[in-house]
Amino acid sequence: MIGSAKRAPIDVVADWLQKRSEPTLLALDAPLGWPAPLARALQSHAAGDAFDVEAHNLFRRETDRYIRRTIGKQSLDVGADRIARTAFAALELIAGLRKRTKREIPLAWTTEFSGIRVIEVYPAATLIAHGIDPSGYKAKNGESERVRVLDAIHALVTVDTEIPCLSYASDGLDAVICVLAACDFLSGLALSPDPGWPVKREGWVWFRDPNAQQVHAADARTSRG
């Protein structure tokens, strides 16, 4: 779903959720937590003091390091990048939806759930895991690359509406990739964190196992907003 100048994203999503009674999964392309080592280090830090931990371990979450190890793609550092603003906005969106719907809306950690749940996804990781080259689709003049990516996704999920902004931006396509990531999660194809990792504090990016057999994720349909 895409918001507009007339309808904020929270209005679009809240209206949609109010009409649903079945289990519903929201897949958000935004970090939903910060690195646990960063929180610990800042508790006792004073201006001018150095940190006794490597920058990558301070600013990246376990899920970010796992993405790099698994598919060779480095996600943005939520502890040291403007993506932190996006993370803050995503958490505000979830909080606003809880207030609007009067429902809890926790994160999903298993495919078995009721009510509304949320997962964090990363479009580039999802594309790479499906063998789809993400190069160039984010560029302003990358319409041909966005069309290429969308054509590849058509073989995996049903896209039954025109994708907005496709000619000049990737936002609409990213929303479709989020649907694909959600299908992977619901189909049990997404990689899970190891026990003991601090994912309940930091969050976890759900993306498909790149070594899994290529199958249709699901017959998912995008919604016009």
Side-chain angles (χ1 to χ4, degrees), residues 189-211:
L189 297 173
L191 292 165
S192 301
D194 283 354
W197 285 356
V199 295
K200 293 295 180 71
R201 183 180 182 91
E202 294 186 337
W204 183 256
V205 175
W206 297 94
F207 65 98
R208 182 183 183 276
D209 182 352
N211 297 315

Side-chain angles (χ1 to χ4, degrees), residues 21 27 45 48-49 52 69 76 83-85 89 95 117 121 125-126 132 135 153 155 157 159 162 199 212-214 222:
S21 58
H45 182 261
D49 289 349
D52 60 355
R69 292 195 304 269
L76 296 176
I83 193 68
R85 295 277 184 175
R117 295 292 188 273
V121 300
T126 293
I132 303 171
S135 301
I153 293 174
V157 295
V159 182
E162 182 179 353
V199 295
Q213 182 179 0
Q214 185 67 269
T222 58

